[in-house]
mmCIF file of all heavy atoms in Angstrom:
data_model
loop_
_atom_site.group_PDB
_atom_site.id
_atom_site.type_symbol
_atom_site.label_atom_id
_atom_site.label_comp_id
_atom_site.label_asym_id
_atom_site.label_seq_id
_atom_site.Cartn_x
_atom_site.Cartn_y
_atom_site.Cartn_z
ATOM 1 N N GLY A 112 20.481 11.079 5.293
ATOM 2 C CA GLY A 112 21.591 11.973 5.075
ATOM 3 C C GLY A 112 22.006 12.725 6.289
ATOM 4 O O GLY A 112 23.302 12.844 6.549
ATOM 5 N N ALA A 113 21.161 13.163 7.057
ATOM 6 C CA ALA A 113 21.411 13.853 8.372
ATOM 7 C C ALA A 113 22.112 12.922 9.317
ATOM 8 O O ALA A 113 22.885 13.351 10.168
ATOM 9 C CB ALA A 113 20.167 14.469 8.982
ATOM 10 N N ARG A 114 21.903 11.647 9.172
ATOM 11 C CA ARG A 114 22.503 10.619 10.060
ATOM 12 C C ARG A 114 23.743 10.079 9.409
ATOM 13 O O ARG A 114 24.412 9.082 10.017
ATOM 14 C CB ARG A 114 21.546 9.488 10.326
ATOM 15 C CG ARG A 114 20.365 9.920 11.164
ATOM 16 C CD ARG A 114 19.309 8.897 11.281
ATOM 17 N NE ARG A 114 18.257 9.411 12.135
ATOM 18 C CZ ARG A 114 17.788 8.641 13.117
ATOM 19 N NH1 ARG A 114 18.236 7.460 13.394
ATOM 20 N NH2 ARG A 114 16.773 9.231 13.880
ATOM 21 N N GLY A 115 24.262 10.632 8.320
ATOM 22 C CA GLY A 115 25.596 10.265 7.802
ATOM 23 C C GLY A 115 25.581 9.280 6.655
ATOM 24 O O GLY A 115 26.666 8.883 6.110
ATOM 25 N N ALA A 116 24.435 8.875 6.188
ATOM 26 C CA ALA A 116 24.334 7.967 5.041
ATOM 27 C C ALA A 116 24.900 8.667 3.781
ATOM 28 O O ALA A 116 24.498 9.781 3.485
ATOM 29 C CB ALA A 116 22.934 7.430 4.869
ATOM 30 N N LYS A 117 25.644 7.939 3.016
ATOM 31 C CA LYS A 117 26.146 8.420 1.703
ATOM 32 C C LYS A 117 25.290 7.952 0.640
ATOM 33 O O LYS A 117 25.218 8.648 -0.416
ATOM 34 C CB LYS A 117 27.589 7.963 1.512
ATOM 35 C CG LYS A 117 28.546 8.623 2.508
ATOM 36 C CD LYS A 117 29.960 8.087 2.205
ATOM 37 C CE LYS A 117 31.053 8.777 3.069
ATOM 38 N NZ LYS A 117 30.961 8.509 4.443
ATOM 39 N N THR A 118 24.705 6.818 0.725
ATOM 40 C CA THR A 118 23.837 6.279 -0.309
ATOM 41 C C THR A 118 22.603 5.646 0.389
ATOM 42 O O THR A 118 22.623 5.302 1.572
ATOM 43 C CB THR A 118 24.529 5.180 -1.136
ATOM 44 O OG1 THR A 118 24.905 4.052 -0.234
ATOM 45 C CG2 THR A 118 25.764 5.724 -1.906
ATOM 46 N N LEU A 119 21.584 5.501 -0.387
ATOM 47 C CA LEU A 119 20.444 4.678 0.058
ATOM 48 C C LEU A 119 20.280 3.519 -0.976
ATOM 49 O O LEU A 119 20.475 3.709 -2.128
ATOM 50 C CB LEU A 119 19.120 5.469 0.071
ATOM 51 C CG LEU A 119 18.999 6.385 1.262
ATOM 52 C CD1 LEU A 119 17.593 7.069 1.263
ATOM 53 C CD2 LEU A 119 19.120 5.629 2.525
ATOM 54 N N VAL A 120 19.803 2.383 -0.406
ATOM 55 C CA VAL A 120 19.643 1.176 -1.160
ATOM 56 C C VAL A 120 18.232 0.694 -1.034
ATOM 57 O O VAL A 120 17.656 0.819 0.130
ATOM 58 C CB VAL A 120 20.578 0.079 -0.764
ATOM 59 C CG1 VAL A 120 20.315 -1.258 -1.478
ATOM 60 C CG2 VAL A 120 22.079 0.504 -0.857
ATOM 61 N N VAL A 121 17.579 0.231 -2.049
ATOM 62 C CA VAL A 121 16.264 -0.338 -1.976
ATOM 63 C C VAL A 121 16.169 -1.527 -2.955
ATOM 64 O O VAL A 121 16.724 -1.488 -4.055
ATOM 65 C CB VAL A 121 15.176 0.704 -2.366
ATOM 66 C CG1 VAL A 121 15.309 1.277 -3.735
ATOM 67 C CG2 VAL A 121 13.795 0.221 -1.986
ATOM 68 N N ASP A 122 15.428 -2.529 -2.496
ATOM 69 C CA ASP A 122 15.134 -3.630 -3.381
ATOM 70 C C ASP A 122 13.717 -3.323 -3.868
ATOM 71 O O ASP A 122 12.714 -3.511 -3.131
ATOM 72 C CB ASP A 122 15.148 -4.971 -2.691
ATOM 73 C CG ASP A 122 16.616 -5.478 -2.514
ATOM 74 O OD1 ASP A 122 17.468 -5.049 -3.343
ATOM 75 O OD2 ASP A 122 16.850 -6.197 -1.536
ATOM 76 N N ALA A 123 13.610 -2.845 -5.045
ATOM 77 C CA ALA A 123 12.329 -2.380 -5.641
ATOM 78 C C ALA A 123 11.651 -3.490 -6.415
ATOM 79 O O ALA A 123 12.235 -4.123 -7.251
ATOM 80 C CB ALA A 123 12.535 -1.199 -6.540
ATOM 81 N N SER A 124 10.296 -3.658 -6.106
ATOM 82 C CA SER A 124 9.584 -4.506 -6.963
ATOM 83 C C SER A 124 9.514 -4.017 -8.384
ATOM 84 O O SER A 124 9.808 -2.774 -8.648
ATOM 85 C CB SER A 124 8.160 -4.690 -6.407
ATOM 86 O OG SER A 124 7.450 -3.394 -6.481
ATOM 87 N N ASP A 125 9.066 -4.830 -9.330
ATOM 88 C CA ASP A 125 8.977 -4.333 -10.694
ATOM 89 C C ASP A 125 8.049 -3.192 -10.801
ATOM 90 O O ASP A 125 8.386 -2.275 -11.578
ATOM 91 C CB ASP A 125 8.496 -5.491 -11.614
ATOM 92 C CG ASP A 125 9.525 -6.589 -11.800
ATOM 93 O OD1 ASP A 125 10.700 -6.355 -11.420
ATOM 94 O OD2 ASP A 125 9.199 -7.676 -12.344
ATOM 95 N N ASN A 126 6.965 -3.136 -10.064
ATOM 96 C CA ASN A 126 6.055 -1.997 -10.303
ATOM 97 C C ASN A 126 6.563 -0.754 -9.643
ATOM 98 O O ASN A 126 6.125 0.407 -9.874
ATOM 99 C CB ASN A 126 4.646 -2.356 -9.909
ATOM 100 C CG ASN A 126 4.317 -2.177 -8.457
ATOM 101 O OD1 ASN A 126 5.039 -2.701 -7.592
ATOM 102 N ND2 ASN A 126 3.229 -1.483 -8.161
ATOM 103 N N ALA A 127 7.520 -0.923 -8.650
ATOM 104 C CA ALA A 127 8.076 0.249 -7.884
ATOM 105 C C ALA A 127 9.366 0.794 -8.575
ATOM 106 O O ALA A 127 9.807 1.916 -8.273
ATOM 107 C CB ALA A 127 8.333 0.011 -6.535
ATOM 108 N N ARG A 128 9.891 0.052 -9.460
ATOM 109 C CA ARG A 128 11.159 0.449 -10.037
ATOM 110 C C ARG A 128 11.159 1.786 -10.738
ATOM 111 O O ARG A 128 12.002 2.643 -10.604
ATOM 112 C CB ARG A 128 11.610 -0.662 -11.099
ATOM 113 C CG ARG A 128 13.030 -0.309 -11.679
ATOM 114 C CD ARG A 128 13.468 -1.475 -12.528
ATOM 115 N NE ARG A 128 14.666 -1.022 -13.231
ATOM 116 C CZ ARG A 128 15.486 -1.847 -13.855
ATOM 117 N NH1 ARG A 128 15.260 -3.100 -13.968
ATOM 118 N NH2 ARG A 128 16.615 -1.294 -14.465
ATOM 119 N N ASN A 129 10.123 2.068 -11.557
ATOM 120 C CA ASN A 129 10.056 3.375 -12.255
ATOM 121 C C ASN A 129 9.952 4.487 -11.255
ATOM 122 O O ASN A 129 10.493 5.616 -11.422
ATOM 123 C CB ASN A 129 8.811 3.296 -13.209
ATOM 124 C CG ASN A 129 8.823 4.523 -14.097
ATOM 125 O OD1 ASN A 129 9.857 4.939 -14.618
ATOM 126 N ND2 ASN A 129 7.654 5.087 -14.276
ATOM 127 N N PHE A 130 9.171 4.318 -10.151
ATOM 128 C CA PHE A 130 8.989 5.378 -9.118
ATOM 129 C C PHE A 130 10.433 5.710 -8.592
ATOM 130 O O PHE A 130 10.793 6.918 -8.460
ATOM 131 C CB PHE A 130 8.195 4.762 -7.957
ATOM 132 C CG PHE A 130 8.073 5.596 -6.774
ATOM 133 C CD1 PHE A 130 7.258 6.669 -6.625
ATOM 134 C CD2 PHE A 130 8.981 5.350 -5.709
ATOM 135 C CE1 PHE A 130 7.166 7.382 -5.513
ATOM 136 C CE2 PHE A 130 8.948 6.132 -4.527
ATOM 137 C CZ PHE A 130 8.067 7.157 -4.466
ATOM 138 N N PHE A 131 11.276 4.705 -8.292
ATOM 139 C CA PHE A 131 12.559 5.017 -7.737
ATOM 140 C C PHE A 131 13.567 5.539 -8.830
ATOM 141 O O PHE A 131 14.334 6.484 -8.525
ATOM 142 C CB PHE A 131 13.175 3.744 -7.061
ATOM 143 C CG PHE A 131 12.588 3.481 -5.757
ATOM 144 C CD1 PHE A 131 11.652 2.419 -5.569
ATOM 145 C CD2 PHE A 131 12.929 4.281 -4.642
ATOM 146 C CE1 PHE A 131 11.106 2.248 -4.348
ATOM 147 C CE2 PHE A 131 12.344 3.978 -3.383
ATOM 148 C CZ PHE A 131 11.439 2.995 -3.258
ATOM 149 N N GLU A 132 13.424 5.093 -10.040
ATOM 150 C CA GLU A 132 14.251 5.655 -11.119
ATOM 151 C C GLU A 132 14.022 7.119 -11.296
ATOM 152 O O GLU A 132 14.961 7.913 -11.489
ATOM 153 C CB GLU A 132 13.982 4.901 -12.476
ATOM 154 C CG GLU A 132 14.597 3.542 -12.552
ATOM 155 C CD GLU A 132 14.304 2.750 -13.652
ATOM 156 O OE1 GLU A 132 13.305 3.006 -14.382
ATOM 157 O OE2 GLU A 132 15.072 1.821 -14.009
ATOM 158 N N LYS A 133 12.762 7.558 -11.234
ATOM 159 C CA LYS A 133 12.402 9.012 -11.360
ATOM 160 C C LYS A 133 13.026 9.877 -10.264
ATOM 161 O O LYS A 133 13.128 11.064 -10.385
ATOM 162 C CB LYS A 133 10.843 9.174 -11.351
ATOM 163 C CG LYS A 133 10.212 8.739 -12.645
ATOM 164 C CD LYS A 133 8.687 8.898 -12.567
ATOM 165 C CE LYS A 133 8.052 8.389 -13.879
ATOM 166 N NZ LYS A 133 6.624 8.527 -13.722
ATOM 167 N N ARG A 134 13.436 9.220 -9.139
ATOM 168 C CA ARG A 134 13.950 9.912 -8.054
ATOM 169 C C ARG A 134 15.481 9.773 -7.954
ATOM 170 O O ARG A 134 16.125 10.040 -6.875
ATOM 171 C CB ARG A 134 13.285 9.389 -6.705
ATOM 172 C CG ARG A 134 11.939 10.077 -6.522
ATOM 173 C CD ARG A 134 10.951 9.227 -5.767
ATOM 174 N NE ARG A 134 9.711 9.916 -5.908
ATOM 175 C CZ ARG A 134 8.893 9.871 -6.986
ATOM 176 N NH1 ARG A 134 9.233 9.046 -8.017
ATOM 177 N NH2 ARG A 134 7.804 10.514 -7.062
ATOM 178 N N GLY A 135 16.061 9.290 -9.009
ATOM 179 C CA GLY A 135 17.522 9.176 -9.062
ATOM 180 C C GLY A 135 18.185 7.913 -8.650
ATOM 181 O O GLY A 135 19.405 7.811 -8.573
ATOM 182 N N TYR A 136 17.351 6.904 -8.342
ATOM 183 C CA TYR A 136 17.900 5.635 -7.984
ATOM 184 C C TYR A 136 18.341 4.867 -9.245
ATOM 185 O O TYR A 136 17.685 4.928 -10.257
ATOM 186 C CB TYR A 136 16.930 4.811 -7.180
ATOM 187 C CG TYR A 136 16.677 5.283 -5.805
ATOM 188 C CD1 TYR A 136 15.949 6.407 -5.618
ATOM 189 C CD2 TYR A 136 17.288 4.675 -4.709
ATOM 190 C CE1 TYR A 136 15.716 6.958 -4.342
ATOM 191 C CE2 TYR A 136 17.085 5.100 -3.390
ATOM 192 C CZ TYR A 136 16.255 6.318 -3.238
ATOM 193 O OH TYR A 136 16.060 6.846 -2.001
ATOM 194 N N VAL A 137 19.494 4.182 -9.176
ATOM 195 C CA VAL A 137 20.052 3.539 -10.315
ATOM 196 C C VAL A 137 19.995 1.964 -10.027
ATOM 197 O O VAL A 137 20.535 1.516 -9.049
ATOM 198 C CB VAL A 137 21.509 4.044 -10.597
ATOM 199 C CG1 VAL A 137 22.168 3.255 -11.785
ATOM 200 C CG2 VAL A 137 21.490 5.504 -10.807
ATOM 201 N N ALA A 138 19.555 1.242 -10.996
ATOM 202 C CA ALA A 138 19.514 -0.230 -10.916
ATOM 203 C C ALA A 138 20.962 -0.807 -10.818
ATOM 204 O O ALA A 138 21.830 -0.390 -11.614
ATOM 205 C CB ALA A 138 18.834 -0.831 -12.104
ATOM 206 N N GLN A 139 21.173 -1.721 -9.890
ATOM 207 C CA GLN A 139 22.471 -2.391 -9.602
ATOM 208 C C GLN A 139 22.415 -3.774 -10.084
ATOM 209 O O GLN A 139 23.338 -4.320 -10.701
ATOM 210 C CB GLN A 139 22.899 -2.232 -8.157
ATOM 211 C CG GLN A 139 23.014 -0.859 -7.656
ATOM 212 C CD GLN A 139 24.003 -0.027 -8.405
ATOM 213 O OE1 GLN A 139 25.191 -0.411 -8.482
ATOM 214 N NE2 GLN A 139 23.602 1.139 -8.915
ATOM 215 N N ARG A 140 21.379 -4.536 -9.732
ATOM 216 C CA ARG A 140 21.270 -5.993 -10.051
ATOM 217 C C ARG A 140 19.777 -6.388 -9.931
ATOM 218 O O ARG A 140 19.087 -5.904 -9.074
ATOM 219 C CB ARG A 140 22.187 -6.792 -9.280
ATOM 220 C CG ARG A 140 21.858 -6.859 -7.828
ATOM 221 C CD ARG A 140 22.885 -7.581 -6.944
ATOM 222 N NE ARG A 140 22.697 -7.412 -5.553
ATOM 223 C CZ ARG A 140 23.044 -6.323 -4.907
ATOM 224 N NH1 ARG A 140 23.702 -5.329 -5.445
ATOM 225 N NH2 ARG A 140 22.875 -6.198 -3.628
ATOM 226 N N ARG A 141 19.473 -7.445 -10.712
ATOM 227 C CA ARG A 141 18.186 -8.169 -10.531
ATOM 228 C C ARG A 141 18.330 -9.249 -9.558
ATOM 229 O O ARG A 141 19.359 -9.883 -9.404
ATOM 230 C CB ARG A 141 17.714 -8.674 -11.863
ATOM 231 C CG ARG A 141 17.295 -7.738 -12.857
ATOM 232 C CD ARG A 141 15.946 -7.099 -12.634
ATOM 233 N NE ARG A 141 14.893 -8.057 -12.913
ATOM 234 C CZ ARG A 141 13.663 -7.895 -12.425
ATOM 235 N NH1 ARG A 141 13.291 -6.858 -11.681
ATOM 236 N NH2 ARG A 141 12.710 -8.843 -12.673
ATOM 237 N N ASN A 142 17.282 -9.497 -8.831
ATOM 238 C CA ASN A 142 17.253 -10.506 -7.770
ATOM 239 C C ASN A 142 15.958 -11.273 -7.840
ATOM 240 O O ASN A 142 14.984 -10.829 -8.322
ATOM 241 C CB ASN A 142 17.268 -9.879 -6.324
ATOM 242 C CG ASN A 142 18.356 -8.725 -6.219
ATOM 243 O OD1 ASN A 142 19.452 -9.068 -6.202
ATOM 244 N ND2 ASN A 142 17.911 -7.568 -5.998
ATOM 245 N N THR A 143 16.081 -12.540 -7.307
ATOM 246 C CA THR A 143 14.881 -13.324 -7.118
ATOM 247 C C THR A 143 14.872 -13.710 -5.594
ATOM 248 O O THR A 143 15.920 -14.034 -5.102
ATOM 249 C CB THR A 143 14.760 -14.563 -7.965
ATOM 250 O OG1 THR A 143 15.980 -15.317 -7.881
ATOM 251 C CG2 THR A 143 14.535 -14.112 -9.458
ATOM 252 N N VAL A 144 13.723 -13.676 -5.033
ATOM 253 C CA VAL A 144 13.649 -14.030 -3.614
ATOM 254 C C VAL A 144 12.514 -15.085 -3.468
ATOM 255 O O VAL A 144 11.514 -14.959 -4.229
ATOM 256 C CB VAL A 144 13.421 -12.822 -2.649
ATOM 257 C CG1 VAL A 144 14.632 -11.946 -2.572
ATOM 258 C CG2 VAL A 144 12.183 -12.074 -3.078
ATOM 259 N N LEU A 145 12.657 -16.046 -2.629
ATOM 260 C CA LEU A 145 11.658 -17.047 -2.413
ATOM 261 C C LEU A 145 10.758 -16.618 -1.239
ATOM 262 O O LEU A 145 11.255 -16.332 -0.146
ATOM 263 C CB LEU A 145 12.347 -18.393 -2.093
ATOM 264 C CG LEU A 145 11.441 -19.608 -1.906
ATOM 265 C CD1 LEU A 145 10.641 -19.847 -3.238
ATOM 266 C CD2 LEU A 145 12.229 -20.811 -1.544
ATOM 267 N N ARG A 146 9.448 -16.521 -1.487
ATOM 268 C CA ARG A 146 8.482 -16.246 -0.464
ATOM 269 C C ARG A 146 7.462 -17.376 -0.543
ATOM 270 O O ARG A 146 6.822 -17.560 -1.539
ATOM 271 C CB ARG A 146 7.748 -14.938 -0.758
ATOM 272 C CG ARG A 146 8.631 -13.697 -0.649
ATOM 273 C CD ARG A 146 8.979 -13.335 0.781
ATOM 274 N NE ARG A 146 9.718 -12.221 0.869
ATOM 275 C CZ ARG A 146 11.078 -12.115 1.003
ATOM 276 N NH1 ARG A 146 11.742 -13.178 0.971
ATOM 277 N NH2 ARG A 146 11.741 -10.971 1.021
ATOM 278 N N GLY A 147 7.482 -18.234 0.549
ATOM 279 C CA GLY A 147 6.642 -19.396 0.537
ATOM 280 C C GLY A 147 7.179 -20.304 -0.625
ATOM 281 O O GLY A 147 8.330 -20.582 -0.624
ATOM 282 N N ASP A 148 6.295 -20.687 -1.558
ATOM 283 C CA ASP A 148 6.684 -21.505 -2.693
ATOM 284 C C ASP A 148 6.805 -20.669 -3.932
ATOM 285 O O ASP A 148 6.902 -21.213 -5.026
ATOM 286 C CB ASP A 148 5.686 -22.622 -2.895
ATOM 287 C CG ASP A 148 5.672 -23.564 -1.716
ATOM 288 O OD1 ASP A 148 6.738 -23.807 -1.041
ATOM 289 O OD2 ASP A 148 4.554 -24.215 -1.534
ATOM 290 N N GLU A 149 6.871 -19.361 -3.819
ATOM 291 C CA GLU A 149 6.855 -18.573 -5.018
ATOM 292 C C GLU A 149 8.108 -17.682 -5.095
ATOM 293 O O GLU A 149 8.613 -17.199 -4.103
ATOM 294 C CB GLU A 149 5.684 -17.490 -4.976
ATOM 295 C CG GLU A 149 4.302 -18.180 -5.001
ATOM 296 C CD GLU A 149 4.027 -18.844 -6.301
ATOM 297 O OE1 GLU A 149 4.410 -18.372 -7.359
ATOM 298 O OE2 GLU A 149 3.349 -19.907 -6.263
ATOM 299 N N TRP A 150 8.670 -17.563 -6.314
ATOM 300 C CA TRP A 150 9.842 -16.761 -6.565
ATOM 301 C C TRP A 150 9.325 -15.374 -7.000
ATOM 302 O O TRP A 150 8.435 -15.248 -7.855
ATOM 303 C CB TRP A 150 10.684 -17.301 -7.722
ATOM 304 C CG TRP A 150 11.404 -18.549 -7.253
ATOM 305 C CD1 TRP A 150 11.064 -19.801 -7.484
ATOM 306 C CD2 TRP A 150 12.638 -18.541 -6.481
ATOM 307 N NE1 TRP A 150 12.029 -20.693 -6.875
ATOM 308 C CE2 TRP A 150 12.942 -19.910 -6.346
ATOM 309 C CE3 TRP A 150 13.448 -17.576 -5.970
ATOM 310 C CZ2 TRP A 150 14.117 -20.253 -5.619
ATOM 311 C CZ3 TRP A 150 14.662 -17.938 -5.335
ATOM 312 C CH2 TRP A 150 14.913 -19.332 -5.093
ATOM 313 N N LEU A 151 9.874 -14.321 -6.398
ATOM 314 C CA LEU A 151 9.489 -12.947 -6.735
ATOM 315 C C LEU A 151 10.747 -12.251 -7.196
ATOM 316 O O LEU A 151 11.861 -12.396 -6.599
ATOM 317 C CB LEU A 151 8.945 -12.203 -5.508
ATOM 318 C CG LEU A 151 7.757 -12.801 -4.836
ATOM 319 C CD1 LEU A 151 7.410 -12.024 -3.560
ATOM 320 C CD2 LEU A 151 6.609 -12.904 -5.784
ATOM 321 N N ALA A 152 10.620 -11.377 -8.246
ATOM 322 C CA ALA A 152 11.762 -10.663 -8.746
ATOM 323 C C ALA A 152 11.725 -9.263 -8.211
ATOM 324 O O ALA A 152 10.653 -8.658 -8.017
ATOM 325 C CB ALA A 152 11.673 -10.635 -10.312
ATOM 326 N N ASN A 153 12.905 -8.699 -7.936
ATOM 327 C CA ASN A 153 13.009 -7.308 -7.603
ATOM 328 C C ASN A 153 14.404 -6.809 -8.184
ATOM 329 O O ASN A 153 15.195 -7.512 -8.719
ATOM 330 C CB ASN A 153 12.882 -6.998 -6.121
ATOM 331 C CG ASN A 153 13.973 -7.670 -5.290
ATOM 332 O OD1 ASN A 153 15.114 -7.737 -5.666
ATOM 333 N ND2 ASN A 153 13.589 -8.047 -4.023
ATOM 334 N N THR A 154 14.665 -5.468 -8.038
ATOM 335 C CA THR A 154 15.857 -4.946 -8.481
ATOM 336 C C THR A 154 16.480 -4.117 -7.343
ATOM 337 O O THR A 154 15.769 -3.227 -6.774
ATOM 338 C CB THR A 154 15.621 -3.933 -9.654
ATOM 339 O OG1 THR A 154 14.994 -4.688 -10.738
ATOM 340 C CG2 THR A 154 16.846 -3.337 -10.240
ATOM 341 N N THR A 155 17.742 -4.425 -7.013
ATOM 342 C CA THR A 155 18.428 -3.596 -6.099
ATOM 343 C C THR A 155 18.820 -2.299 -6.784
ATOM 344 O O THR A 155 19.493 -2.271 -7.828
ATOM 345 C CB THR A 155 19.696 -4.346 -5.540
ATOM 346 O OG1 THR A 155 19.316 -5.553 -4.883
ATOM 347 C CG2 THR A 155 20.465 -3.449 -4.598
ATOM 348 N N MET A 156 18.451 -1.171 -6.108
ATOM 349 C CA MET A 156 18.710 0.163 -6.634
ATOM 350 C C MET A 156 19.440 0.996 -5.661
ATOM 351 O O MET A 156 19.273 0.766 -4.412
ATOM 352 C CB MET A 156 17.468 0.840 -7.076
ATOM 353 C CG MET A 156 16.639 -0.048 -8.047
ATOM 354 S SD MET A 156 15.091 0.750 -8.612
ATOM 355 C CE MET A 156 15.853 1.791 -9.822
ATOM 356 N N GLU A 157 20.310 1.915 -6.083
ATOM 357 C CA GLU A 157 21.013 2.774 -5.112
ATOM 358 C C GLU A 157 20.931 4.212 -5.598
ATOM 359 O O GLU A 157 20.802 4.525 -6.752
ATOM 360 C CB GLU A 157 22.485 2.363 -5.130
ATOM 361 C CG GLU A 157 22.775 1.054 -4.554
ATOM 362 C CD GLU A 157 24.327 0.712 -4.418
ATOM 363 O OE1 GLU A 157 25.124 1.638 -4.771
ATOM 364 O OE2 GLU A 157 24.606 -0.377 -3.970
#
Side-chain angles (χ1 to χ4, degrees):
R114 292 171 178 231
K117 292 179 174 66
T118 61
L119 280 184
V120 177
V121 63
D122 284 333
S124 65
D125 288 348
N126 84 311
R128 183 175 171 167
N129 189 43
F130 171 86
F131 283 103
E132 285 175 339
K133 288 179 180 178
R134 280 151 191 80
Y136 288 77
V137 178
Q139 302 298 308
R140 66 185 168 280
R141 288 285 288 164
N142 310 295
T143 53
V144 292
L145 185 61
R146 295 287 184 262
D148 293 331
E149 296 294 324
W150 288 98
L151 304 175
N153 65 34
T154 302
T155 298
M156 304 182 80
E157 292 183 5

